[in-house]
Amino acid sequence: ETGVTQTPRHLVMGMTNKKSLKCEQHLGHNAMYWYKQSAKKPLELMFVYNFKEQTENNSVPSRFSPECPNSSHLFLHLHTLQPEDSALYLCASSQDRQSTGELFFGEGSRLTVL
Amino acid sequence: AQSVTQLGSHVSVSEGALVLLRCNYSSSVPPYLFWYVQYPNQGLQLLLKYTTGATLVKGINGFEAEFKKSETSFHLTKPSAHMSDAAEYFCAVSPGFQKLVFGTGTRLLVSP
């Protein structure tokens, strides 16, 4: 079983739609992350949760709304997105926020906004 | 602020040839350094990391990297490339217990 599972793997949505990305980790970690991966750009850290509490929001537009109900699950709620939001969204986890940077990534959710 | 520069968005090698992927970093404090690999349609996987101690770090799949403080570099090498090494490689720096900063990635192409 994959340590970090993301669903859906692919998502196409219009600018007026509301959808959610889901991430689940089976590693017993306490920190979870959302990253955005766009072509020819470095991975962008979006949000960090540590023990279910949001510890970082990197100036992400409010059309992206994260939710972390427990240490194993992380959601990214999407609404009124723009075409430039099309990207691969990666979820990751680590033992805790103070770990030495070893992140465990899911396979990503490829989002296309029309 | 911390930053990572990966020289060359694409590197092409022949199977059996030496692989060298370059990474230079900027950090105001002693850094932790990482290489991650991303195979097509997959997430990132940790190849190796340097935190403290020995500056030559060995990772999975025969890769290794050397931390050179004087050159602020952490280049990734493998003596003999294999077709299965074709992937995108990301260098990253963590200035201690803080967020990870990634480079833009280098796509490794391996030809028969």
Side-chain angles (χ1 to χ4, degrees):
Chain A
E1 183 179 85
T2 306
V4 180
T5 304
Q6 290 187 243
T7 56
R9 293 292 311 279
H10 300 272
L11 178 62
V12 179
M13 58 188 289
M15 291 190 286
T16 58
N17 291 159
K18 288 184 179 182
K19 298 286 184 182
S20 296
L21 306 181
K22 178 183 176 182
C23 176
E24 183 175 1
Q25 58 95 359
H26 308 277
L27 300 169
H29 290 164
N30 296 306
M32 297 188 77
Y33 310 73
W34 280 116
Y35 279 87
K36 178 183 179 181
Q37 186 178 28
S38 305
K40 302 186 188 303
K41 293 176 67 175
L43 271 74
E44 300 173 56
L45 179 63
M46 300 175 72
F47 302 104
V48 181
Y49 279 81
N50 197 39
F51 292 93
K52 302 188 301 180
E53 299 297 320
Q54 187 179 119
T55 56
E56 190 151 351
N57 175 339
N58 268 356
S59 303
V60 181
S62 60
R63 57 186 184 269
F64 294 91
S65 175
E67 178 189 0
C68 188
N70 54 60
S71 292
S72 299
H73 294 86
L74 185 64
F75 295 88
L76 188 63
H77 304 299
L78 316 169
H79 62 98
T80 58
L81 295 190
Q82 305 298 310
E84 61 263 30
D85 297 323
S86 298
L88 182 68
Y89 289 85
L90 290 165
C91 174
S93 70
S94 66
Q95 184 60 46
D96 56 53
R97 185 68 181 92
Q98 302 302 310
S99 62
T100 55
E102 183 166 358
L103 302 180
F104 293 78
F105 284 85
E107 295 182 324
S109 293
R110 173 75 61 188
L111 173 66
T112 303
V113 182
L114 302 177
Chain B
Q2 286 68 39
S3 65
V4 174
T5 301
Q6 291 186 241
L7 295 176
S9 59
H10 292 80
V11 169
S12 295
V13 299
S14 299
E15 194 171 19
L18 171 72
V19 175
L20 171 61
L21 304 182
R22 298 178 186 275
C23 173
N24 289 89
Y25 69 90
S26 171
S27 177
S28 56
V29 298
Y32 296 157
L33 295 158
F34 307 82
W35 277 98
Y36 282 82
V37 60
Q38 185 177 31
Y39 297 103
N41 300 314
Q42 294 188 27
L44 279 71
Q45 177 185 0
L46 181 68
L47 260 185
L48 50 81
K49 66 179 180 181
Y50 168 80
T51 52
T52 59
T55 56
L56 182 62
V57 180
K58 295 185 185 299
I60 61 172
N61 301 336
F63 284 92
E64 62 183 36
E66 186 171 12
F67 169 56
K68 292 187 176 180
K69 184 178 178 181
S70 61
E71 299 177 7
T72 60
S73 69
F74 191 57
H75 302 329
L76 182 70
T77 60
K78 181 174 180 177
S80 177
H82 192 272
M83 296 295 290
S84 60
D85 294 327
E88 187 145 21
Y89 293 80
F90 294 89
C91 183
V93 61
S94 173
F97 297 120
Q98 297 178 38
K99 61 185 176 183
L100 211 56
V101 175
F102 285 89
T104 52
T106 297
R107 185 166 298 277
L108 177 65
L109 307 169
V110 183
S111 56

